[in-house]
Amino acid sequence: MNQPLAAISLILFFMVVWLPLGQHAFLTEHWMKVGAFIAPLVLFFGFKARNHKVTPWTGDIMLMACLFTAAYLLHQVEEHWIDLLGRTFPLHETLNRLLASMFGPEAYGLLTKTGLFLINAGMVWLAGFLAILMSPQRVFPALAMAGLMFVNAIGHTVNAIVAYEYNSGLATSIILFLPLSLLFFRTMLHRKQASVKLILLAIAWGFLGHVLLFGGLYATTLTAAFSIEGLYALLFIWGALPTVVSLQSPTAKS
């Protein structure tokens, strides 16, 4: 497979998804439901394409990249479709209240449902599918997805402890994100396919992605630094960054 060409094709596909061709009304309301139906297909592809010579199974980077992407798609169901308390679109309201508490009442409502779709499809989905595409030869995109999951899980867990209550996304964070990310980090270190420095860089990418999101929303709310559309484009670039970085390094053996 010509991975650079395939990666460019995938990026172009996501750019087409963003174009105003009439699909936004559907995707704005139902993108997380689409993700729920895609998740089993991603898992099927992961196990089907698995290199059976790899032992243990946790060392198969392509399979793990598929597991990460499927886990995130399921996480988004709990966050954005329906959570364990039966609340629909639960995180939309929660995030807008958080923005209002952080930046003032004028920030409430800035994060629209369209914005949630663009953020999740533009950064998270893109990073996940690129991680699958680039594996098993290149490790960093999969590490970046694990880093994003790890940071997200820590955020949900800390929030639950501080507030002493369940938050939308907590269950999948604890059951899926933490075990999968930590297992992958440990396996890559054990097999010497990643260094501690590279893992910390992946976690930093995940952390800075969250900082970029909330910092960008702050900038669009209280300053004229850039538009909300500019933030979406920046997050799109951030989602592609691990793949761009990995293309500059030698291929990994798995």
Side-chain angles (χ1 to χ4, degrees):
M1 178 189 295
N2 187 328
Q3 288 184 320
L5 180 60
I8 292 172
S9 299
L10 184 62
I11 291 172
L12 289 175
F13 167 76
F14 272 87
M15 292 179 69
V16 170
V17 168
W18 283 24
L19 292 176
L21 301 176
Q23 78 278 27
H24 282 181
F26 173 81
L27 291 174
T28 294
E29 294 291 331
H30 304 293
W31 62 269
M32 72 296 291
K33 302 174 186 178
V34 173
F37 288 104
I38 293 175
L41 299 178
V42 173
L43 286 175
F44 175 79
F45 174 80
F47 284 102
K48 187 73 174 176
R50 178 188 170 205
N51 181 353
H52 294 284
K53 295 180 181 179
V54 175
T55 304
W57 69 270
T58 50
D60 189 331
I61 300 169
M62 178 173 284
L63 176 58
M64 292 303 289
C66 289
L67 287 172
F68 297 157
T69 304
Y72 226 114
L73 292 171
L74 295 176
H75 177 70
Q76 289 169 336
V77 169
E78 185 189 1
E79 277 190 327
H80 301 289
W81 184 359
I82 183 167
D83 66 11
L84 296 186
L85 300 181
R87 297 174 296 191
T88 55
F89 293 105
L91 202 61
H92 178 234
E93 177 67 19
T94 301
L95 286 176
N96 272 307
R97 287 202 306 266
L98 177 61
L99 287 170
S101 67
M102 292 170 63
F103 308 132
E106 63 272 20
Y108 184 86
L110 178 70
L111 193 58
T112 64
K113 289 183 178 181
T114 300
L116 282 173
F117 158 65
L118 293 176
I119 290 167
N120 282 278
M123 184 173 76
V124 179
W125 287 16
L126 179 62
F129 286 112
L130 282 173
I132 296 171
L133 181 66
M134 302 310 293
S135 61
Q137 287 83 2
R138 301 181 188 276
V139 179
F140 188 64
L143 282 174
M145 275 302 291
L148 184 66
M149 289 165 53
F150 178 76
V151 171
N152 192 285
I154 294 299
H156 278 285
T157 304
V158 170
N159 184 28
I161 293 173
V162 171
Y164 200 64
E165 65 179 5
Y166 163 81
N167 59 73
S168 305
L170 179 65
T172 43
S173 291
I174 295 175
I175 296 172
L176 298 176
F177 280 14
L178 281 178
L180 284 175
S181 59
L182 292 175
L183 179 62
F184 190 59
F185 292 151
R186 179 180 178 275
T187 303
M188 291 297 98
L189 284 173
H190 178 72
R191 299 184 68 209
K192 302 187 186 312
Q193 288 187 276
S195 62
V196 173
K197 181 179 179 180
L198 196 62
I199 289 173
L200 290 177
L201 183 63
I203 294 173
W205 175 84
F207 175 75
L208 290 174
H210 286 80
V211 172
L212 184 64
L213 168 59
F214 285 98
L217 288 170
Y218 171 78
T220 57
T221 305
L222 300 184
T223 74
F226 55 90
S227 66
I228 193 70
E229 290 78 12
L231 173 60
Y232 298 149
L234 196 57
L235 289 170
F236 180 89
I237 294 170
W238 194 255
L241 186 61
T243 293
V244 174
V245 170
S246 72
L247 291 173
Q248 310 307 312
S249 60
T251 57
K253 295 179 180 179
S254 64

